[in-house]
Amino acid sequence: YVQGQYAYVTNTGSNTLQIVDISNPPFPGHVSFFTIAGGPISVYVQGRYAYVTSGNGYLQIIDISNPSVPVQTATAAVGTTPQNIYVSGKYAYVTNGGSGSVSVVDVSNPLVPVQIATTSVGGSPRGIFVSGRYAYVANNTSNTISVVDVSNPFIPVQVATTAVGTA
């Protein structure tokens, strides 16, 4: 994930979130790394926070306001084998590959994130993108894209699924 002059990279093998200064693209520079328990999978950055999913079933929120010294603010259980994350406004949307679902987490208070809903989308959801009132979810094993209405984040509803071919 890139925001401003920094790239944020999850390293599952070393259990870290690495922050890289990319202000001079021919010479990117290591700024810091932060240990993430459970094998970090995906990162999304919004403002002063990095939201990281890890294979152990958690969303971790890291304060990156000082990129040289990132600080964990909170964790929240989000499901089975979380994969990708997208943050829109005060909600984080997490795909759970192990349970075929999407979790909605209220992150309005980054010190106390709360999972408020989960909805099944089938397959093994990997990618997610939120635009307006809809979340678009790529399902790996079923080769589909699910459209989920998240206009009421407490009651997300899958409204369509369409085949997108085979891997």
Side-chain angles (χ1 to χ4, degrees), residues 46 49 51 59 61 87-92 105-116 154:
Q46 182 173 298
Y49 297 102
Y51 301 85
L59 164 65
I61 301 176
V87 179
S88 179
K90 62 181 185 174
Y91 299 103
V105 181
D106 183 338
V107 294
S108 58
N109 180 348
L111 300 176
V112 187
V114 177
Q115 181 174 316
I116 59 171
F154 291 91

Side-chain angles (χ1 to χ4, degrees), residues 114-126:
V114 177
Q115 181 174 316
I116 59 171
T118 301
T119 190
S120 178
V121 293
S124 181
R126 293 288 192 259

Side-chain angles (χ1 to χ4, degrees), residues 11 19 34 42 51 59 64 72-73 75-76 78 100:
N11 298 301
I19 301 174
F34 186 82
S42 180
Y51 301 85
L59 164 65
I64 53 168
Q72 182 171 328
T73 62
T75 62
V78 291

Side-chain angles (χ1 to χ4, degrees), residues 63-106:
D63 183 335
I64 53 168
S65 56
N66 179 350
S68 298
V69 186
V71 176
Q72 182 171 328
T73 62
T75 62
V78 291
T80 306
T81 319
Q83 295 295 310
N84 210 309
I85 183 168
Y86 193 96
V87 179
S88 179
K90 62 181 185 174
Y91 299 103
Y93 302 88
V94 178
T95 58
N96 295 301
S99 62
S101 65
V102 173
S103 294
V104 181
V105 181
D106 183 338

